[in-house]
Amino acid sequence: MQTLYRRLLRLMPRIGVQVTDLGPGAAVVARRGGPYEVTDVDQGTKVLSRRGGPYRVTGVDKDTWLLRRTRGGARTAVAEKGVVPLGDTGAVLLIDDPEHQDERKLQLSAAEYLCVQHVTAMLELYGVNCVFDVGANTGQYAKRLRRAGYTGRIVSFEPTSETFTKLAKAAEKDPDWRVYQCGLGREESTAEIHKSWLTMNSLLPPSDYGKGRYSRFKKSDTEEIRIRRLDEVMDEALEGLADPVPYLKMDTQGYDLEVFAGAGKRVTDFVGLQSEVACLRLYEGSPGMGEAVAAYEAEGFGITGMYPVTREATTGRVIEFDCVMMRAEAAPEPPKQ
């Protein structure tokens, strides 16, 4: 015999009310919408979806599930072996279809994420309130810092006209993001920069190795740009900061040491830096990783992180690292026990 409860549920659709039965003693009643899909997540836990269901469920841990919308089974759930705990941090990495994942792309994407997280942590630890973003391109680095939570000033430098226009557009609604159309180097001058290499514009010509790796290097346009010294622009860039604590990021396609040299004695103002250092030279005349790191260490910076930027697919060799370095003497005093 049907209970009164069940009889009422059966009658409701006749008066235009949608009913979704969730099991003994539970139902969802709605005047509009439907039909609803019900997905069992765990014993006593269900997901109700009005559109786009049902869902496939992967358990992440005893209190967490991953839900992925499916249509006729076209999308599959993350495999259980694709749920990777990150040590004892409480964080997990979810890998869709781990058996067919491109290891190199996964590693480089993870390195980019970890680098941004590390830099943001160092900026907070050292109290940085101004980041010099040299070789800004269209503002990718600054945007990552903002997404990661950095709220201080950013000063971006990009010399080529077309790319600078895009950078200025990206920064126009951010009141503490300043942009300069110039390159930075050892001396005040003008120079021809190779461009039309996507994000790899450089004042240096490509090496034989670079030409072999990137077909984009076979042809290039050039543009005359202004080059300034870093120490010459610092006061203007730091104007308005009562107690400036600057950090220097360089990504200038083989020209970072020239930018660094242009800081002169004011390099001691920086509590940290980030430089793209090369294991395999893409540009003629660019320094190797050992030479670059030695120059930075000579000025009091020590490595806090190394993150691969590009790797050879055929050999696995790293081509370039993002090298993060901080001036240990500028770190805050640890709290007394």
Side-chain angles (χ1 to χ4, degrees):
M1 179 183 292
Q2 286 188 333
T3 63
L4 178 60
Y5 168 76
R6 291 289 168 189
R7 292 173 65 186
L8 286 173
L9 292 185
R10 288 173 60 85
L11 289 171
M12 284 184 177
R14 299 182 185 181
I15 58 173
V17 176
Q18 293 284 340
V19 176
T20 303
D21 192 355
L22 299 180
V28 173
V29 178
R31 185 178 296 276
R32 299 175 184 173
Y36 291 90
E37 297 280 357
V38 180
T39 304
D40 287 310
V41 173
D42 201 354
Q43 186 175 3
T45 304
K46 299 177 184 291
V47 171
L48 186 71
S49 54
R50 188 168 65 183
R51 295 185 180 90
Y55 291 86
R56 295 203 176 186
V57 181
T58 301
V60 175
D61 57 36
K62 65 183 180 66
D63 297 316
T64 309
W65 303 274
L66 174 69
L67 297 150
R68 298 196 71 198
R69 193 168 58 221
T70 66
R71 289 186 176 87
R75 299 182 186 181
T76 60
V78 171
E80 294 295 338
K81 62 182 177 181
V83 180
V84 183
L86 298 181
D88 59 359
T89 64
V92 294
L93 178 65
L94 302 176
I95 305 175
D96 193 5
D97 196 11
E99 293 183 357
H100 299 94
Q101 205 37 263
D102 184 321
E103 181 271 342
R104 188 173 67 96
K105 288 183 179 179
L106 179 64
Q107 291 281 343
L108 295 180
S109 296
E112 180 182 285
Y113 169 79
L114 292 172
C115 182
V116 172
Q117 295 300 307
H118 173 63
V119 168
T120 306
M122 292 297 98
L123 299 183
E124 182 176 358
L125 176 63
Y126 283 77
V128 170
N129 56 14
C130 185
V131 172
F132 283 72
D133 173 21
V134 185
N137 199 253
T138 59
Q140 301 95 316
Y141 182 82
K143 291 176 185 177
R144 292 187 196 116
L145 287 186
R146 288 293 192 235
R147 287 195 295 268
Y150 173 70
T151 59
R153 180 174 298 177
I154 300 173
V155 183
S156 294
F157 299 84
E158 173 54 43
T160 61
S161 55
E162 183 178 350
T163 305
F164 178 79
T165 298
K166 296 177 182 178
L167 172 66
K169 181 70 175 177
E172 65 182 3
K173 294 183 180 179
D174 188 329
D176 218 5
W177 183 1
R178 302 182 179 186
V179 295
Y180 288 80
Q181 186 176 356
C182 65
L184 296 180
R186 188 181 296 267
E187 301 293 342
E188 296 272 332
S189 64
T190 59
E192 294 286 324
I193 190 170
H194 301 272
K195 63 178 188 176
S196 303
W197 293 342
L198 301 179
T199 61
M200 300 174 69
N201 302 336
S202 179
L203 284 157
L204 301 175
S207 65
D208 288 341
Y209 173 78
K211 292 175 183 176
R213 175 166 176 79
Y214 292 112
S215 59
R216 70 186 75 169
F217 284 160
K218 293 178 181 177
K219 294 182 180 180
S220 70
D221 299 324
T222 60
E223 179 180 337
E224 186 176 89
I225 63 168
R226 180 186 180 187
I227 298 178
R228 303 173 69 179
R229 282 180 58 90
L230 180 55
D231 56 7
E232 184 268 331
V233 299
M234 284 181 66
D235 286 338
E236 182 181 350
L238 296 171
E239 183 181 6
L241 295 176
D243 185 18
V245 182
Y247 174 88
L248 175 61
K249 167 264 178 182
M250 298 172 288
D251 181 3
T252 59
Q253 305 305 315
Y255 211 68
D256 287 10
L257 274 190
E258 296 298 301
V259 175
F260 188 73
K265 294 181 179 180
R266 296 203 64 177
V267 74
T268 59
D269 291 4
F270 291 94
V271 298
L273 65 84
Q274 180 177 340
S275 175
E276 198 169 79
V277 296
C279 301
L280 300 169
R281 290 182 176 88
L282 295 172
Y283 306 96
E284 287 292 341
S286 62
M289 180 173 69
E291 180 185 349
V293 170
Y296 302 142
E297 288 180 334
E299 293 295 342
F301 298 96
I303 295 173
T304 62
M306 295 280 282
Y307 303 90
V309 177
T310 49
R311 278 173 47 197
E312 289 182 332
T314 54
T315 68
R317 293 189 300 177
V318 174
I319 299 171
E320 295 168 312
F321 282 100
D322 264 331
C323 178
V324 182
M325 308 182 76
M326 303 302 294
R327 195 183 295 281
E329 65 192 40
E333 291 289 332
K336 294 182 179 180
Q337 299 295 329

